[in-house]
Amino acid sequence: MARILVVDDEEGVRSFLAEALEFEGHSVTTAADGDEAARLLAKQGVDLLLTDLRMPGLDGLSLLRKVKEEQPDVEVVVLTAVGTVESAVAAMKAGAFDYLLKPVGSPAELRLTVARALERRALLNWKTEARQSTGEVELSWGAAAMVPVVEALRKVAPTQATVLLVGESGTGKEVTARALHQWSERADGPFVAVNCAALTETLLESELFGHEKGAFTGAVAQRRGRIELAQGGTFFLDEVGELKAELQAKLLRVLQERRFERVGGTRTLEADVRWVAATNRDLKGMMARGEFREDLYHRLAVFPIRLPSLRERREDLRPLAELLLRRIGEELGRPGLRLSSEALARLEAFTWPGNVRELRNALERAAILADGPVVEPRHLWLDPTGAPGPVDAPAPEGGRLPSLTLEELERRAIEQAIADEAGNRKRAAQRLGIGLRTLYDKLRRYEAP
Ligand SMILES: Nc1ncnc2c1ncn2[C@@H]1O[C@H](COP(=O)(O)OP(=O)(O)OP(=O)(O)O)[C@@H](O)[C@H]1O
Ligand SMILES: [Mg+2]
């Protein structure tokens, strides 16, 4: 969820945009002209400014320049009428992220542009954060099964070798990639991740390589891709098994030659990045079926590391659970949260098909349900699919529910689903088995005084 300021002198346009963005779960403020927008910006923080260009008083372009000068990390998307694309170009030169043609007919286009602008902002913020953080990643890796893994990681981290992390979902592939970065000589450089499954082919290509002005419709300005943003640092290719054939070929070339061109460009740029890739798929099997290029596999798997599942490292369960619960306690402002020995026994008996991520989610849920500092078995709602014996339904101790009203219970379930889905309300609604509309209605009701 982001904070978005919508500026347009037409009431109809304002409310259309505000509604569409609120539906996505953003918190939206509106202003009728540039002056009002400038006043609002001075008072409240925003992540994204969506502004019309032609307005009475302070116009959109002047507003954009002012924002870029005073709050450069606010992303700006401008709205421009058909036939006045020159003004859009001027806006892009002044630092706008993108532009949308008016009238904005499709909410999908709006959604995509806004999502990309916010993603870019998150990426840039992350880069500065990554640069500033010097601390080690706090990981719990004590189990015997982890010893050879950690030893391999320590040895390969300072080299330039491409590392392929393989492991079931939730085994810690991403945190491991970050650890590799922090233990390398590139730790002061950026860590840039791209999820190969989340972007479409065309988007992925321009995200990775960037594009030149005019490379395709909509490319009104040159844009640097993520490989360029990652110069001097580590590039993490997450879910690399999802790459389509055409991109596999393009990626292979960068890995082989350490060079690339922006989409639509002729100049060859050097890729000074250390590659780390991750997958939960069986790349060798995919290779045998012709779904994954053999040459690419060998480029990626210079140094393959398999992360064991939580089932294979049972001794880690206790220290991991304690570490995670401590962190959750800090996040919730409830330090001192701990597990009763019965609760721990219950966790130890569980099979954890979703590995560390599932453990973390279970603990977070339990922490929310437990009113006091101690997590008891009745607070642990474990998914029956991972139960050790006969179906282990979330039956509370003694058949009694914790003393909650139905409404409180519902509210907690909703908060949990939203947290599990990292704020994505559409997926949270799916997880809860209700419609998005219903979810919004319920949220609104909670917010009502
Ligand atoms: N050794 C560890 N110590 C502490 N926390 C860990 C450890 N391993 C994983 N985690 C935590 O578990 C969660 C899942 O880890 P991560 O996202 O790295 O897994 P993943 O393998 O990338 O999962 P997926 O395949 O679902 O993308 C994160 O919250 C992470 O912080
Ligand atoms: Mg991952």
Side-chain angles (χ1 to χ4, degrees):
M1 193 188 81
R3 298 158 303 171
I4 301 178
L5 175 59
V6 171
V7 195
D8 198 299
D9 52 332
E10 276 172 77
E11 157 63 25
V13 178
R14 271 201 312 272
S15 53
F16 166 76
L17 295 172
E19 236 167 74
L21 293 168
E22 270 164 5
F23 189 72
E24 284 294 299
H26 299 301
S27 118
V28 182
T29 321
T30 57
D33 57 51
D35 296 301
E36 189 186 347
R39 274 195 302 279
L40 282 168
L41 278 165
K43 275 207 310 247
Q44 70 190 58
V46 309
D47 303 303
L48 178 79
L49 170 68
L50 186 59
T51 179
D52 191 15
L53 283 176
R54 211 175 305 166
M55 293 181 294
L58 186 69
D59 66 285
L61 196 58
S62 314
L63 176 66
L64 163 68
R65 295 211 170 98
K66 190 170 151 64
V67 170
K68 283 288 154 187
E69 202 176 291
E70 291 165 10
Q71 304 173 41
D73 58 345
V74 173
E75 288 295 352
V76 181
V77 171
V78 299
L79 294 157
T80 178
V82 182
T84 58
V85 174
E86 317 80 66
S87 55
V89 175
M92 302 285 291
K93 283 194 177 136
F97 170 80
D98 208 346
Y99 69 95
L100 280 165
L101 284 182
K102 267 173 79 167
V104 184
S106 102
E109 191 194 351
L110 171 70
R111 207 161 46 224
L112 185 68
T113 307
V114 164
R116 291 190 39 162
L118 292 171
E119 202 198 345
R120 161 73 37 144
R121 181 182 143 89
L123 176 67
L124 294 176
N125 283 348
W126 210 92
K127 269 184 67 180
T128 21
E129 267 174 38
R131 281 227 170 83
Q132 285 159 3
S133 87
T134 47
E136 287 235 333
V137 209
E138 189 186 11
L139 292 170
S140 171
W141 274 341
M146 286 305 284
V147 172
V149 178
V150 176
E151 199 178 284
L153 288 169
R154 289 271 181 199
K155 283 195 176 138
V156 76
T159 72
Q160 297 300 319
T162 300
V163 176
L164 176 65
L165 300 168
V166 188
E168 288 177 17
S169 143
T171 44
K173 295 183 291 294
E174 180 158 355
V175 289
T176 305
R178 290 184 195 276
L180 275 171
H181 175 67
Q182 294 210 351
W183 294 339
S184 78
E185 285 159 16
R186 296 173 170 263
D188 290 337
F191 175 92
V192 173
V194 65
N195 185 334
C196 302
L199 296 160
T200 67
E201 197 134 339
T202 21
L203 264 183
L204 188 55
E205 191 178 355
S206 91
E207 279 298 319
L208 284 183
F209 306 117
H211 61 242
E212 296 293 344
K213 183 174 164 178
F216 45 83
T217 343
V220 292
Q222 182 207 69
R223 163 114 41 94
R224 297 194 309 151
R226 295 204 187 183
I227 297 180
E228 270 178 82
L229 290 173
Q231 293 292 337
T234 302
F235 197 102
F236 178 46
L237 288 160
D238 202 3
E239 308 207 28
V240 75
E242 311 302 321
L243 272 183
K244 296 284 177 312
E246 193 198 334
L247 259 154
Q248 288 181 21
K250 292 195 166 131
L251 188 65
L252 176 69
R253 191 185 153 231
V254 196
L255 285 166
Q256 261 168 355
E257 302 175 16
R258 307 202 145 265
R259 283 162 207 282
F260 67 100
E261 283 99 36
R262 296 193 189 111
V263 178
T266 46
R267 198 151 63 88
T268 301
L269 303 164
E270 202 199 326
D272 171 23
V273 301
R274 197 275 179 85
W275 299 95
V276 177
T279 184
N280 55 17
R281 303 197 40 183
D282 168 26
L283 289 189
K284 280 196 185 141
M286 290 177 69
M287 211 159 73
R289 291 191 300 274
E291 293 161 14
F292 202 84
R293 290 181 69 119
E294 212 173 322
D295 41 12
L296 180 60
Y297 175 80
H298 292 295
R299 280 282 162 190
L300 291 173
V302 177
F303 203 106
I305 294 181
R306 195 183 80 88
L307 296 176
S309 68
L310 204 44
R311 296 181 297 290
E312 298 164 74
R313 40 190 281 232
R314 295 228 158 250
E315 316 96 281
D316 260 355
L317 199 107
R318 183 189 188 135
L320 250 179
E322 283 168 355
L323 170 72
L324 293 172
L325 200 59
R326 180 151 43 82
R327 263 192 230 158
I328 292 164
E330 279 160 16
E331 280 164 24
L332 294 175
R334 285 166 53 195
L337 272 177
R338 61 190 177 80
L339 288 162
S340 76
S341 48
E342 294 79 15
L344 181 65
R346 187 109 192 274
L347 295 181
E348 281 175 332
F350 195 67
T351 59
W352 303 110
N355 295 296
V356 190
R357 164 162 305 120
E358 189 180 13
L359 174 62
R360 200 199 140 97
N361 289 347
L363 289 170
E364 207 168 308
R365 234 176 354 243
I368 292 171
L369 285 173
D371 293 313
V374 186
V375 170
E376 300 285 357
R378 67 169 184 280
H379 303 131
L380 293 167
W381 295 8
L382 304 180
D383 189 320
T385 51
V391 169
D392 194 1
E397 258 181 359
R400 253 198 51 186
L401 271 169
S403 53
L404 291 175
T405 64
L406 209 51
E407 192 185 323
E408 275 170 337
L409 198 61
E410 177 181 280
R411 184 177 177 149
R412 287 179 181 195
I414 288 176
E415 284 167 355
Q416 183 58 43
I418 292 175
D420 283 352
E421 294 296 350
N424 183 319
R425 302 196 177 193
K426 205 181 291 171
R427 284 207 305 269
Q430 280 165 358
R431 182 182 272 246
L432 290 160
I434 59 176
L436 186 56
R437 277 273 172 220
T438 315
L439 177 61
Y440 274 106
D441 286 345
K442 289 186 187 295
L443 287 173
R444 250 193 299 280
R445 228 175 317 126
Y446 299 148
E447 276 158 23

